[in-house]
Amino acid sequence: MQLDKNRSDPTGQRMTTGQGVPVEDTDNSLRVGARGPTLLEDFHLREKIMRFDHERIPERVVHARGSAAHGYFQVYESLAEYTKAKVFQDPSKKTPVFVRFSTVAGSRGSADTARDVRGFAVKFYTEEGNWDLVGNNIPVFFIQDGIKFPDVVHAAKPEPHHEMPQAATAHDSFWDFVSLVPESAHMIMWIMSDRAIPRSFRMMEGFGVHTFRLVNAKGVSRFVKFHWKPLLGVHSLVWDESQKLAGKDPDFHRRDLWEAIEKGNFPEWELGLQIIEEKDAEKLGIELLDATKIIPEELVPVRRVGKLVLNRNPTNFFAETEQVAFCTAHVVPGIDFTDDPLLQARNFSYLDTQLTRLGGPNFTEIPINRPIAPVHNFHQDGFHRQTIDAGRVNYFPNSLGGGCPFMAAAEQGGYRHFPEKVEGEKVRKRAESFQDHFSQASLFFRSMSKPEREHIIMALQFELGKVEREEVRKRVVEQILVKIDAELATEVAQGLGMAVPTMTAVKGKLEKVADTLGLPVVDKSPALSMENQKKDSIKTRCIGVLVADGFDAADLQSTKAAIEQAGAELVLISRRLGTVKGSDGKAVKVDKSALTTGSFEYDAVFVPGGAASVAVLKKDGDSVHFIQEAYRHCKAIGVTKEAAELLEAGGISTPALGVVVGAADGQDFPTKFIAAIAQHRHWARHDKDVVSG
Ligand code: HDD
């Protein structure tokens, strides 16, 4: 691919200086006598230190922590009816992509599992130039107008006087902002939900957020919302697990993505489109230019039009993942903007920020950012220029260069902006249709299953519980939550030891418009609940297996065969690394020592029988804790024969939801266990006073 010519491999090569001069010794600086002063003359020392001193570039002002991969996008059938974009024409063509996932608030070294929005940025290297779809895993945003972006980010980031807390919104300045900016209400519901703590980048949805335009060859424009639907389903961690992972494996999501690709478990998403005819936009009763709103899938179905596959890890983190520069303004013919004021500000910001981050305007020449389409223009010079422009002509129009490079008419592929008709007065004002801040926040909360609602309540109790100023806590509950949902406001208030507030039912624009137009109100949107997403597979899941010497070898073998057949893997955990001996006398390699891992790194737990092994595990506090914790996090647990005693030792009485106990002759154990794992979590354990949030 186009990056090949930039790769450098030292295998079999001599070390040289930056000037290509072979180096004799890189361990000792040049000095006068073995104990004497170092000489300025040592150009290798100076160059080596100078290069090291300047290795860092500024991290991204937001989305600093990220992980990326290469892959391709392929459309299922031509979408020529809707767009002339080349990427959507030919089902036999694979368009290369580079996708970067990220958290927003934390710095580059922060933990992956922080409660946060996840960035989902896709760069399509199309034959007619790069198209960047710079989205998130949440379909709405905190604010409606880009002019408020510095405010929301300042409020969310560590506070300026002491730079705390890192990668967390659980602090006064963030909630102060939220309490004063009701347009953030809908987004708050999403980030307090389990969507903000994904199980894996591979198991989260992506959204373009804004309404964009698709424009076809005839110049007809339609509105569109972009969705990415993961084929592994949409799954999350629980909050307790996220916090523990942040300590034990801060790279949890990065590792997960990297390892899945290395193992050939290529993550896949389908691209979904919600297409809205311009003439129907009004009838929806939803302001399409307001990025704090979704269009419920029940109103406009998501049509799946193609597949994104990530199949190659980057060669070098800095060169690719760190230096990639996305920009919402990178569009190709057939894709256009709307007047969404958030999008319009973004179109400036992404270009501008690269000047500081990547050191100048030539960032487009960095290999990962270079289009595969040819580039010819008269932009010139500047720091780090790579291209050597030939000839004497660097202006347009010209005759000395034969008038080249020439313009392309729209029919020849030239980008022509959609000729939207606009007129009006210059004002700093938001339209009345942007004033509904609560109806979709309520819709979201109402559409959640009971456990999901509980998790939102617990998340708010956690976040506001960390807020020091009482008036901020009160304002969030009394000015924001009461307008979203009575159960929500009451439970959060009680959890914070506050008086139950008076409810303020707010009739949102959605309902009002529906009233006026006689449209059906979307009272619930099942598509919003992760509980309604498909749960039919355990592919790529990771099951922790607790063993000690004497484990039942036949149990392990049969379960392993069934689990692997279903596309998941087992990780053998024991007291120490090395091997453990099974009941058949054979030694098996231990994958992880109990010291280095915890139940929160696995999707489920399996404990094979074997009297000697179980006797050891029962007496081992860590093993008992492992199984108790998996139970508290509502995960599937499978035990065979004697291993049922470990459940007892952990105080887990059976039968229990999602706990599969295999009898000595239990043939159907693997089937039941696999079905339990596929459920992802068994939330109804909540009812038995299990704390999982
Ligand atoms: Fe942004 C980075 C997504 C609003 C300004 N943003 C950034 C990245 C993602 C998003 C995924 C990381 C890209 C990467 O991996 O390099 N941002 C969003 C979404 C938004 C949004 C989905 C709302 C719909 N952003 C937004 C606004 C502004 C910015 C309103 C400014 C007016 N965003 C930036 C930025 C960043 C950025 C400062 C930081 C690093 C970068 O661009 O390259 O320009």
Side-chain angles (χ1 to χ4, degrees), residues 298-352:
E298 292 72 16
L299 277 184
V300 180
V302 176
R303 173 170 163 195
R304 299 186 181 217
V305 300
K307 195 189 266 187
L308 168 72
V309 180
L310 298 183
N311 58 9
R312 188 161 58 82
N313 278 316
T315 306
N316 181 276
F317 186 92
F318 180 83
E320 296 163 74
T321 309
E322 193 59 18
Q323 292 201 111
V324 66
F326 293 92
C327 178
T328 48
H330 293 166
V331 287
V332 288
I335 305 201
D336 210 322
F337 314 115
T338 58
D339 296 328
D340 174 343
L342 196 72
L343 176 59
Q344 293 294 333
R346 291 181 76 192
N347 284 347
F348 164 68
S349 181
Y350 290 76
L351 188 64
D352 180 58

Side-chain angles (χ1 to χ4, degrees), residues 60-61 63 100 135-136 141 149 210 326 346 349-350 354:
R60 289 170 175 80
V61 58
H63 295 265
R100 184 174 180 271
N136 279 340
F141 203 62
F149 190 67
H210 311 281
F326 293 92
R346 291 181 76 192
S349 181
Y350 290 76
Q354 314 306 348

Side-chain angles (χ1 to χ4, degrees), residues 15-30:
M15 180 182 282
T16 70
T17 64
Q19 302 306 315
V21 176
V23 172
E24 186 198 11
D25 177 352
T26 193
D27 297 324
N28 299 288
S29 50
L30 188 69

